[in-house]
Every structure is written in C-alpha cells, then in structure tokens.
Amino acid sequence: METPSIPAPKDEGEREVLERLIAIRDQLQLRKLDRTTYVRTQDVMVLYDQTIEQVKILNDIRGGKPGEENQVDRVVDSCFQLLSLFFMTIGRNNEAPAAYALTSTIKRLLDHLTEANLFCAQDLESMSQTLEHLSEIVHNSCSSTPAPFLETLIAQRIDRCRASLSSLQKKVEDIAEPLRPTADKLVSILRQMAVINTKSRFTPSEILKREAELKEISEKRKDGQFVDADGNVLKGSEDVSRLSDRCLEYTRIVLERNGQFPDKWRPIYDVLVGIRNELDKLSLTQAWSLRETDLYDYQRQLDRIDESRVNGNWLDDQGRPADLYVQRTLLYLIRRSYGYIYHLMISSEPVSEALLPIYNQLQTLKRCLVEVKNSGGVTSARELYPYSMKLHSIDNMRVDGKFMAGEDIPEGQGSVAELLAECFDLNYELRVAAEAATESPEPSAERES
C-alpha cells in the first residue's frame, strides 16, 4: 500500500509503532470488507482509541520536532482515512474524525482546480460551505476533548484548504460581474467536451455543437477583448479570452484524435474510466448501496495515480512525458472522480448503516406524501391507508422508543425519529384535509336548504 519511495523509519521506537499501526489498519481493512453484518460503533471506537494511543507514542518519540516523512506517517494517514469513513458509516458524521477524509478530498480538489485554472464560483461556494461546517464540528469537539490531537490536525488541514480557496476566490473576483456568466459558460462547455471525449462511443457531432457555441462566444469580442455596452474593456477580459482560446484549441485536439486514445496510456486510462463510471453509479444509488468505507479504495487508487506524475505529467517507459491530449484527459478523469467522492461524502446521512434501510424507506414515504400534497391531496382518507399502514409498521419496530439492531442501539436515532414524525404529520394533514372536503356540504345543497 505504501509508495516504495517512502523510506522506512530509522528509530526503533517508530518501527514498533509502525508494526502496531499496520495491524490496526489491517483490522480496519478486514472490517471494511465484511458485508455479513453492519458496522458496530463499539468496534470502530476500539480501533480509533488504539490509533490515537499509537499516534501519541509517536509524537512522544519525535518530541514534537518535524522530520522527514516516512512509512509511519503514511500508515497513520491510512488509519485516519479509514476511521473517518467508518465514522460516517456508523452515523457519527458530526464528529471531528469524520472530517479527516473530507478535508483530504477537498484539498485534492482545490489543488487540481488551482493547477488546471479551470473553475467557477459555484465550485468554490460548495467547498466554502463545507469547510465552514467542518470548522464548527472541530471547534465543538476541541472544547470537549482533553487532548485534541486529531482535532488540531484537522483544523490545520482546514486552514490550508481555506488558504487555497481564498486564492481561487480572488481569481473569480478579478473578473467583472457582467463577464462571469461568460466565464462560467466556457468552463461548462469545456467540461462537457471532456465528458464526450471519454464516452465509450465518440460522437464528433456533439463536439461540433460545442465548437459552434464557443465560436459564438468568441465573436462577441472586439479587438480580442470583451467589452461593455460603452466599449470599455471589462476587468478580467484577458483571462476569459485565454480561456476561450483554450477551449477552441481543445476542441481542435479532440476532433483530431476522434476518440482514439494511445495504446501505451490505455491501461491507466481504463482504470480511471472504470473508477469514474463506478462512482457515477454510486451517486445514483447512494442511499441504497453505498457504505462510506467503499470510497477508501477509490480514493487510494486515485491518489497513487495522481502522485505518480513527475512535474505535473506522466512519463512512459522511456521517460517521455504524455502529450497534451493524454495529460488533459487523464487529469479530467481524476478530477471528476475526486468530485464524485466529495459529493458522496457530503451527501452521507448522519445515520448508522444499521438504520439506513428504515431511514431510506421513510425518505421514500416522505417524497410520496409531499408529491400527493402538491398534486392536490386525496379525495378520501382511504387512499392514505397504504401510507398509514407502512408508517405504523415502522413505528412498531421501536423498542422503548428506540430502533434496535440486535442488542445494539445504532447511531442516528434522532434523525430517523424526526423523519418518522414528519411523515406522520404529512399523513395527518392529508387525512384532515380529505375528511374536511368530504364533510363540507355542496353549494347547491346549501341553496336548497
């Protein structure tokens, strides 16, 4: 799992810590693969406490002095990544450990956006809100933790992410307000072309359609610049013009390649397309099929491929760098996959996987009841019987007010109970409205009386 170039620890104490951490990581990996039963909170907490203990020993050995990164640091990161995803799996999303994996993904995304210089305000807004939320979680956790080592580490990662985010936000602000929709449109077109370029069946007509849109945008320029109604050059015009030219150049390259990817780069391309497609499927069926720990393997695969670059590019067997088309295509697939992982993480519900089947059923019931309400309600209370029966059957599953999984009380009781109450309220509102409509006399009957 470790990159061969990462040196082994020289200190005997660090080597002992490494062995113990590898054993912990292996236990986490085995638990991740076990689908025969749900993940129990107590199992995760035991391994979390063991990891924290080893990290404290490591810090004591190093005496707080920064040193060269070695295999211990990599295994510590692997343990925290896995534990972070396990915290999401057991529904403890609003605790500091759950933030670790998310900050890793955000940092990767920000680094890629900075490198590509291709983003829009909407990309940054989502990550800004997420970082704010994570910061609140870490702050609350620090105030209640005696020795908040992990919390301090995550807070530092959040600060680094915010610094990168601030730099990108300044670039958006350097573009005049009237010109930003044009910049966003160019980013959108370039991303659409990247999707088309990596489809199993390449369709030139789809690229030509985007090329026409790009030419239409480019023709709005006067003397190579974007100007306002009075003919004044808009702030950020040069940057947007470069982006427009970059899009047109990419169109030319994609049409020239006609969906043909070089054979020597095909293995890495196929791996990345496979990851992208699998994450895309998970994003569609997340509520029913995703265990957050599944994301670990995808993330690690992407990290290894991303880190195998030399000066930002991949080298072939003869040490020659990939051409621009190959580089951009592979980088797009990596960024898109990191984007999927980010959205899957922030969409994770604070409910243990043991309660997810019930939670998902209630979400479906709520959507149905809301749809019925928005379409005018029901004409008779009888039409609500299927919903009422299902709600009561779920309610009857509780033992002393709790949803149990064997002898355990899984995390997320509050979220499930709140959703159940919302469904009962919606059902009650619809029934009252139906009964009121049935009991009210017809206007003609009132006149006759």
Side-chain angles (χ1 to χ4, degrees), residues 62-117:
R62 292 177 172 178
K65 298 176 183 178
E68 183 186 15
E69 184 185 66
N70 61 39
Q71 291 177 11
V72 184
D73 301 283
R74 282 301 179 101
V75 178
V76 167
D77 178 64
S78 294
C79 289
F80 279 144
Q81 288 280 357
L82 279 163
L83 285 164
S84 182
L85 294 169
F86 269 113
F87 266 70
M88 292 185 195
T89 303
I90 62 176
R92 299 178 77 159
N93 302 47
N94 295 322
E95 296 185 26
Y100 188 91
L102 194 45
T103 55
S104 297
T105 303
I106 291 174
K107 187 65 172 68
R108 288 275 181 181
L109 277 173
L110 289 170
D111 288 346
H112 273 280
L113 292 178
T114 301
E115 178 185 7
N117 197 23

Side-chain angles (χ1 to χ4, degrees), residues 132-147:
E132 186 64 35
H133 176 62
L134 296 180
S135 185
E136 290 176 11
I137 291 172
V138 172
H139 175 75
N140 294 335
S141 183
C142 280
S143 61
S144 59
T145 306

Side-chain angles (χ1 to χ4, degrees), residues 21 51-60 76 80 149:
L21 284 170
T51 303
I52 292 295
E53 181 184 353
Q54 293 307 311
V55 171
K56 286 178 180 177
I57 295 171
L58 179 64
N59 287 341
D60 290 340
V76 167
F80 279 144
F149 162 77

Side-chain angles (χ1 to χ4, degrees), residues 150-412:
L150 182 58
E151 286 78 0
T152 303
L153 176 61
I154 295 172
Q156 292 168 350
R157 292 159 71 99
I158 290 173
D159 288 341
R160 287 196 291 272
C161 289
R162 280 179 165 165
S164 298
L165 186 66
S166 178
S167 176
L168 294 175
Q169 286 171 330
K170 187 178 183 306
K171 290 186 178 182
V172 173
E173 292 165 3
D174 286 341
I175 298 174
E177 192 74 39
L179 195 52
R180 288 179 194 173
T182 300
D184 291 347
K185 179 67 174 176
L186 289 170
V187 171
S188 174
I189 291 173
L190 193 55
R191 287 175 176 173
Q192 289 172 38
M193 290 194 294
V195 172
I196 296 164
N197 181 49
T198 53
K199 284 183 176 179
S200 57
R201 182 179 177 184
F202 181 73
T203 312
S205 60
E206 293 186 46
I207 296 293
L208 291 171
K209 180 181 176 182
R210 271 68 183 185
E211 183 182 40
E213 293 180 54
L214 290 170
K215 287 179 178 177
E216 186 180 335
I217 292 172
S218 182
E219 287 167 3
K220 293 179 181 178
R221 292 185 285 182
K222 291 185 178 179
D223 298 326
Q225 300 285 355
F226 290 97
V227 298
D228 61 16
D230 298 324
N232 300 313
V233 176
L234 289 165
K235 181 184 178 184
S237 171
E238 289 186 8
D239 291 332
V240 179
S241 292
R242 277 195 294 269
L243 178 57
S244 177
D245 294 339
R246 176 180 168 187
C247 290
L248 286 167
E249 174 65 12
Y250 183 67
T251 304
R252 183 190 65 76
I253 294 172
V254 170
L255 287 171
E256 187 179 277
R257 292 302 179 99
N258 198 36
Q260 300 300 313
F261 206 79
D263 289 339
K264 65 179 176 180
W265 298 107
R266 196 80 201 184
I268 185 173
Y269 174 82
D270 289 341
V271 169
L272 289 173
V273 168
I275 292 173
R276 191 270 313 267
N277 292 346
E278 287 176 33
L279 289 169
D280 181 46
K281 290 176 186 175
L282 279 175
S283 70
L284 298 174
T285 61
Q286 176 182 9
W288 301 97
S289 61
L290 176 69
R291 175 186 270 188
E292 284 79 0
T293 50
D294 295 340
L295 299 176
Y296 176 81
D297 292 332
Y298 296 120
Q299 201 164 25
R300 278 297 184 244
Q301 276 184 285
L302 291 170
D303 291 349
R304 282 196 291 270
I305 293 172
D306 196 19
E307 291 167 6
S308 67
R309 292 189 286 159
V310 177
N311 297 324
N313 203 353
W314 288 272
L315 304 179
D316 64 13
D317 295 338
Q318 281 74 45
R320 294 171 299 192
D323 62 41
L324 185 62
Y325 171 77
V326 170
Q327 183 190 23
R328 285 189 178 180
T329 301
L330 297 180
L331 283 173
Y332 156 73
L333 289 168
I334 289 176
R335 292 184 197 117
R336 189 74 188 97
S337 296
Y338 277 130
Y340 274 126
I341 289 173
Y342 168 72
H343 286 290
L344 287 166
M345 284 183 180
I346 64 172
S347 301
S348 174
E349 299 288 354
V351 175
S352 167
E353 68 169 351
L355 293 185
L356 270 180
I358 298 172
Y359 188 80
N360 291 335
Q361 289 178 56
L362 288 171
Q363 282 191 313
T364 302
L365 279 168
K366 181 182 176 182
R367 282 195 293 270
C368 291
L369 289 167
V370 168
E371 185 64 31
V372 170
K373 183 179 179 180
N374 292 339
S375 61
V378 294
T379 56
S380 167
R382 282 179 173 274
E383 296 177 44
L384 296 170
Y385 282 177
Y387 302 109
S388 299
M389 289 174 65
K390 185 62 180 177
L391 287 171
H392 283 293
S393 71
I394 292 175
D395 192 30
N396 291 335
M397 294 169 67
R398 293 198 274 191
V399 178
D400 296 328
K402 303 288 185 183
F403 291 97
M404 305 292 290
E407 298 297 320
D408 300 325
I409 302 175
E411 303 282 343

